[in-house]
Each structure stands twice: as C-alpha cells, then as structure tokens.
Amino acid sequence: MPTDPNTVRHYNTNAEQYHAHVSDPTDSTFHSLYEKPAIRAELPEFNDLEVISIGCGSGVDARWLADNGAKRVVGIDISKGLLDIAKKNNPDIEFQEMDMEHLAFADESFDLAYSSLAIHYVDDWTQPLSEARRILRSGGQYIFSCGHPIDSALEYAVEGDIRYARLGRKVNNLTNERTVYGNYLAPDSGGVMPVKVMLGDIEVVVHHRTFSKMLEQILASGFTVERLVEPQPIKGDPDHYEQLRKIPTFMIWVLSK
Ligand SMILES: C[S@@+](CC[C@H](N)C(=O)[O-])C[C@H]1O[C@@H](n2cnc3c(N)ncnc32)[C@H](O)[C@@H]1O
C-alpha cells in the first residue's frame, strides 16, 4: 500500500505549519535533540558525494547536506505543498515531486541516499528500498530513520486526568483476569499495521512493523545491513529526556549496496 492519500493531503494543507515546526529546534525537540543528531552521526564523509534526500519535506535536511559540503543534493518528496517551500527557500538545490516507490533517476545516479522519518509511511519497504538501491552506485549507502516498533506498538488511553501510552499487561491477583495493552506482533495483519499519529494538529498514517518484518523487507530489497542504531537523546527537553533514554521513538538503519 502506498502512502495514505490523507497523509499527503495533510502535509499539503499544513505545509507552512510543518515547516515552521521542523525549522524551530525548540518546538521540534524530537528532531533537534534526538533524531537529527543521531542520523547525521551515522553519515560518512560526504564532501565529494552526490546525495539524494528521500522524503525531503520542506528541504531542511537538503539545505544542511548542501551547506555541509555535499557535491550535489537532490530532494524528492510526495507533498507538493512542502516542495513549494523547499524550492522557494533553496533555489540552489534541485527538488522534484516524486514517490519514493518510483524514483525517476537512472541506475547508479547517487553515492548516498538519506531519508529522515519518511519510509514508515509505506507499508512494504521492499519497493522503495529496491528503488533506492537501484539508483545508488556500488558501495553506496542508504541511511534512514524511522519509527521504532516499540513506540508504534503502544496503546493510548485516558483515565481521568492521566494519559497513558502503554505496552504490557495487567493481571488481577484475585480473579486472574488479564488485560493486554498494545500490539507489537500485529498478528491480525501479518506484522505490519497502520497507526494514526498526530504531528501537532496534523494527522498522518504510519505503518508499524515488527523487527522481523523490517529485516525481511530490507533483505528482500538486496541491501546489506551495516548497523542499526537505537539512539540516546541529548539533554535539553525536560518533558521527554527521561522517556527517550529508556523507551525509543525512532531508530536509524545504515544499509549498503
Ligand atoms: C515527517 S516528514 C519528514 C520530512 C523531512 N525529512 C524532515 O525531516 O523535515 C515525512 C515526509 O515524508 C514524505 N513522504 C511520505 N510518503 C512519501 C513517499 N511515498 N514518497 C516520498 N515522500 C514521502 C512526506 O510528504 C513528508 O514530507
């Protein structure tokens, strides 16, 4: 299943709002103090490399890659609204409207593929990863971040004044009644299930998948796994630091061709 059309509509409708969010490090601390430093730490020296930013959004990462010496940066995204902002703010960078499942580039066009929090919008990674691998030169890497399945397995509930996000069980000692919270294995949908996520006021649909499904889809694309990183947050966000030290929201994959 490709990216949910409602997700694309939400990004288009709220493009300015999303761009303001990712451009303000104090607003997007899950990016600035967690995901961005973690994914950037995994990048090779990219001074002489041609880089594609897949799911580039409003171009924040493409700007960073260009400013930090990439030989050429191309950004692609499925949201025209976000791309309009990317093009307006970065006239020196090439951006194209494109679905990551069908990359309109010749084989072996890039040295490095980079993608931040975009691939989890697609339920089967085999196709977008096969495409990314096809357009990479031999030895090229694909470094991407995505939602961590511990996070997407959580179940949300409100009880009185308390909001819960929980994965586990409750057992009544007297009756032995057992209540299960959350769903990691997603048995009714073969290990992959759609999950609604609020990004501020924007509702999008991402796909939870088990670790075994991730690995199955990565290996089916032909990529080799170099490493998987479960990052630690940087101190600075008192609301989330303690949470992210112990319970992951995102993870980073480093693959090579
Ligand atoms: C959470 S945003 C991240 C944007 C950008 N990487 C950043 O960090 O600011 C996810 C992005 O993935 C894009 N996206 C989702 N599905 C896509 C697809 N099938 N092909 C290309 N882009 C896609 C969305 O339009 C959105 O820009």
Side-chain angles (χ1 to χ4, degrees):
M1 192 197 306
T3 295
D4 180 279
N6 275 335
T7 296
V8 183
R9 190 170 53 77
H10 276 276
Y11 275 118
N12 282 335
T13 310
N14 299 286
E16 289 290 352
Q17 183 191 340
Y18 182 76
H19 177 61
H21 166 69
V22 291
S23 303
D24 177 357
T26 62
D27 190 47
S28 55
T29 53
F30 273 56
H31 289 199
S32 60
L33 298 175
Y34 185 45
E35 186 265 347
K36 296 291 182 207
I39 188 171
R40 289 172 183 177
E42 298 309 318
L43 295 178
E45 175 57 56
F46 55 84
N47 267 351
D48 288 324
L49 303 187
E50 296 189 67
V51 186
I52 180 164
S53 174
I54 296 176
C56 66
S58 58
V60 179
D61 292 320
R63 180 75 269 153
W64 181 85
L65 288 161
D67 287 348
N68 284 279
K71 185 169 145 193
R72 174 185 173 219
V73 182
V74 176
I76 70 104
D77 200 279
I78 203 171
S79 162
K80 182 178 180 309
L82 288 171
L83 284 171
D84 285 345
I85 295 171
K87 287 175 187 170
K88 190 178 84 193
N89 292 342
N90 307 283
D92 56 322
I93 298 177
E94 182 186 336
F95 292 99
Q96 294 194 40
E97 190 176 338
M98 209 177 285
D99 189 324
M100 68 173 80
E101 297 198 274
H102 306 283
L103 297 174
F105 300 100
D107 295 357
E108 309 198 349
S109 301
F110 296 94
D111 305 298
L112 176 66
Y114 171 103
S115 181
S116 165
L117 303 177
I119 199 167
H120 47 219
Y121 290 93
V122 178
D123 69 341
D124 188 342
W125 288 357
T126 312
Q127 172 67 18
L129 290 180
S130 300
E131 276 291 87
R133 186 175 181 279
R134 180 184 64 74
I135 64 166
L136 281 174
R137 300 187 178 108
S138 177
Q141 291 177 303
Y142 190 6
I143 297 166
F144 68 88
S145 59
C146 61
H148 194 292
I150 290 272
D151 184 70
S152 47
L154 296 171
E155 176 182 305
Y156 291 82
V158 178
E159 286 178 11
D161 291 336
I162 309 295
R163 292 198 313 271
Y164 289 94
R166 51 197 180 191
L167 175 65
R169 60 191 176 271
K170 177 175 83 176
V171 181
N172 183 313
N173 277 339
L174 300 177
T175 64
N176 216 25
E177 183 191 4
R178 187 172 289 259
T179 311
V180 175
Y181 299 107
N183 185 1
Y184 171 76
L185 288 172
D188 298 331
S189 50
V192 181
M193 70 179 172
V195 175
K196 287 184 181 163
V197 174
M198 294 304 293
L199 302 176
D201 296 336
I202 310 178
E203 185 186 281
V204 298
V205 176
V206 299
H207 292 275
H208 165 83
R209 82 202 71 217
T210 60
F211 271 114
S212 54
K213 272 286 161 193
M214 289 183 173
L215 210 48
E216 179 187 312
Q217 295 176 355
I218 290 170
L219 297 179
S221 75
F223 269 120
T224 300
V225 176
E226 280 189 30
R227 58 192 178 277
L228 160 63
V229 179
E230 295 178 302
Q232 279 292 313
I234 294 169
K235 272 190 182 160
D237 177 350
D239 288 340
H240 296 115
Y241 178 69
E242 198 54 27
Q243 169 190 322
L244 291 173
R245 285 181 65 218
K246 296 176 180 167
I247 302 174
T249 294
F250 300 136
M251 61 198 287
I252 324 286
W253 287 94
V254 180
L255 313 182
S256 56
K257 176 170 178 176

